[in-house]
């Protein structure tokens, strides 16, 4: 199979566009879409712009960091600061951490680690072993991770925090909010345009790049990444949505892009994200919340202890 743009052999076939691409044109296509998203999502200040980058060592966040570095390396007034959250998951996070550290060293980007144990006095292994889980491990881990991402980004005085969320993950999250009827949460999804007090805006420049494209890009560009899976990644609803969307995409290529585009239009034209954003303050940590306690304090047990002691 030949590349649709040159005489070289194609390494990738894009069903939504009907084109086949050689290595050069595939890399170019991913980088073009990435840069387009950076232009849409980041408003560069006249002075310095600092972007915190959450990296796990997995393919998505490693590709994110590499692409940010490649795109920004000539911009003298953009600073990238990477960090990894260590949730305390034995055998999984430690490998990712080493990979993340190596990539940061190679690219000359500073890297910090923030742990659940240091911040919440608990670890995910401990939370799961306690046997008191209400819902999936991710329902606990997610809000605590978001809390730490925000804390790290505030500490860096970052203008944005970048997350490695590919199109597959993003379209699944949109559909999960639709299935739960959670309109507000769906509209609050990243990318965030404005900073609201206490929350660093999240950007997701991989939102239009399919997971298989991220994987192939990592291989073609030689970006080392960890292939391990979190042993607790078993969110039942996400798994169902993932296989449903994969089978629809197979028959109607471009479906995931259409789902992403649907939310983008809603966010752009109909609703002001700031108006539906978290309007209260957590009574314990002071973070923005949509009730008396934020999700992080509810999940890490502080809200419960506080309620009992009052
Ligand atoms: S898969 Fe779930 S439990 Fe594992 S790191 Fe991600 S959010 Fe945490
Ligand atoms: Zn080509
Ligand atoms: Zn809180």
């Amino acid at each position: 199979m030949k590349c649709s743009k040159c005489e070289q052999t194609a390494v990738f076939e894009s069903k939504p566009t009907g084109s086949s691409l050689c290595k050069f044109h595939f890399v170019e296509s991913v980088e073009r879409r990435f840069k387009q998203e950076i232009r849409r999502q980041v408003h560069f200040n006249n002075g310095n712009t600092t972007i915190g980058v959450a990296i796990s060592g997995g393919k998505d966040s490693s590709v994110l960091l590499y692409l940010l570095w490649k795109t920004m390396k000539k911009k003298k007034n953009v600073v990238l600061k990477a960090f990894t959250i260590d949730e305390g998951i034995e055998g999984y996070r430690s490998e990712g951490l080493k990979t993340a550290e190596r990539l940061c060293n190679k690219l000359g980007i500073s890297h910090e680690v923030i742990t659940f144990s240091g911040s919440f006095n608990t670890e995910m292994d401990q939370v799961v072993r306690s046997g008191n889980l209400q819902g999936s491990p991710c329902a606990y881990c997610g809000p605590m991770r978001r809390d730490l991402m925000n804390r790290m980004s505030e500490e860096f005085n970052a203008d944005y925090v970048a997350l490695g969320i590919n199109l597959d993950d993003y379209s699944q999250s949109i559909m999960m909010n639709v299935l739960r009827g959670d309109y507000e949460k769906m509209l609050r999804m990243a990318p965030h345009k404005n900073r609201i007090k206490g929350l660093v805006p999240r950007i997701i420049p991989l939102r239009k790049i399919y997971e298989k494209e991220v994987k192939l890009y990592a291989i073609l560009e030689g970006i080392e990444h960890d292939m391990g899976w979190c042993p607790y990644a078993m969110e039942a609803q996400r798994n169902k949505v993932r296989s449903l969307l994969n089978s629809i995409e197979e028959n109607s290529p471009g479906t995931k892009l259409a789902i992403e585009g649907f939310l983008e239009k809603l966010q752009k034209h109909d609703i002001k994200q700031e108006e539906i954003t978290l309007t209260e303050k957590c009574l314990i940590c002071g973070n923005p919340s949509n009730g008396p306690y934020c999700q992080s304090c509810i999940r890490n047990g502080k809200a419960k202890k506080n309620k009992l002691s009052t």
Side-chain angles (χ1 to χ4, degrees):
M1 196 175 32
K2 258 193 187 168
C3 174
S4 314
K5 297 189 171 186
C6 73
E7 293 301 303
Q8 297 295 315
T9 309
V11 294
F12 183 75
E13 192 190 353
S14 164
K15 287 193 180 162
T17 62
S19 58
S20 304
L21 299 172
C22 68
K23 179 183 170 183
F24 175 84
H25 283 113
F26 171 78
V27 168
E28 189 189 51
S29 147
V30 170
E31 292 179 357
R32 181 178 26 82
R33 284 174 284 151
F34 183 84
K35 283 180 197 160
Q36 223 165 45
E37 282 306 304
I38 290 291
R39 281 196 295 275
R40 282 188 187 134
Q41 298 182 29
V42 180
H43 301 286
F44 293 102
N45 301 326
N46 287 331
N48 279 348
T49 301
T50 301
I51 303 179
V53 192
I55 59 165
S56 64
K59 67 175 185 324
D60 299 301
S61 57
S62 299
V63 165
L64 168 78
L65 185 70
Y66 175 83
L67 276 168
L68 280 168
W69 167 81
K70 204 169 176 185
T71 311
M72 309 290 182
K73 64 182 172 185
K74 287 195 187 124
K75 290 187 194 278
K76 292 276 173 277
N77 53 354
V78 177
V79 181
L80 300 177
K81 291 188 174 182
F83 64 92
T84 302
I85 296 170
D86 183 352
E87 305 89 347
I89 302 172
E90 213 191 313
Y92 164 62
R93 184 51 74 221
S94 46
E95 283 312 304
L97 244 168
K98 284 183 216 150
T99 315
E101 238 154 35
R102 273 198 299 272
L103 181 63
C104 288
N105 281 339
K106 208 166 151 186
L107 303 178
I109 296 170
S110 68
H111 179 237
E112 289 192 29
V113 180
I114 185 165
T115 64
F116 271 25
S117 58
S119 313
F120 304 123
N121 205 18
T122 189
E123 299 197 319
M124 274 314 289
D125 284 340
Q126 211 178 318
V127 170
V128 173
R129 266 189 242 120
S130 74
N132 298 327
L133 282 190
Q134 285 169 353
S136 70
C138 301
Y140 285 75
C141 188
M144 293 196 267
R145 279 164 60 97
R146 282 192 288 279
D147 182 6
L148 294 190
M149 264 178 217
N150 199 51
R151 278 198 223 175
M152 274 315 265
S153 313
E154 293 243 293
E155 215 176 288
F156 292 157
N157 211 2
D159 299 281
Y160 296 96
V161 56
L163 311 182
I165 296 178
N166 63 48
L167 176 61
D168 295 60
D169 295 337
Y170 194 55
S171 54
Q172 286 157 23
S173 301
I174 297 170
M175 285 311 292
M176 284 167 73
N177 282 322
V178 170
L179 295 176
R180 285 194 288 253
D182 204 336
Y183 183 63
E184 287 79 13
K185 195 169 171 199
M186 184 178 78
L187 289 170
R188 279 204 305 269
M189 285 174 71
H192 301 138
K193 285 191 206 106
N194 300 313
R195 191 185 189 100
I196 62 158
K197 212 170 177 298
L199 279 185
V200 179
R202 290 180 217 138
I203 55 164
I204 46 169
L206 298 177
R207 72 170 165 175
K208 293 191 186 189
I209 302 176
Y210 283 90
E211 182 174 16
K212 61 181 177 191
E213 293 180 300
V214 175
K215 257 188 212 162
L216 182 59
Y217 183 88
I219 294 168
L220 295 178
E221 287 293 277
I223 306 165
E224 187 195 356
H225 58 278
D226 184 48
M227 312 240 256
W229 275 86
C230 172
Y232 307 134
M234 54 188 178
E235 248 190 308
Q237 185 77 332
R238 182 172 289 273
N239 288 339
K240 282 185 203 153
V241 171
R242 181 185 296 118
S243 31
L244 178 72
L245 290 187
N246 284 349
S247 87
I248 301 176
E249 177 79 30
E250 186 63 32
N251 295 318
S252 313
T255 297
K256 292 174 189 172
L257 276 168
I259 294 171
E260 182 281 324
F262 179 75
L263 176 60
E264 200 178 334
K265 279 182 206 144
L266 268 185
Q267 287 177 329
K268 207 188 288 175
H269 297 299
D270 296 333
I271 304 288
K272 283 206 171 65
Q273 237 175 358
E274 314 89 86
E275 285 173 9
I276 48 92
T277 221
L278 307 168
T279 49
E280 293 183 48
K281 258 189 170 188
C282 172
L283 292 174
I284 295 170
C285 70
N287 278 343
S289 66
N290 54 5
Y293 304 106
C294 74
Q295 281 301 313
S296 175
C297 287
I298 292 171
R299 293 304 187 173
N300 69 40
K302 283 188 194 158
K304 208 162 122 202
K305 280 177 215 147
N306 187 275
K307 268 192 232 169
L308 292 175
S309 64
T310 51

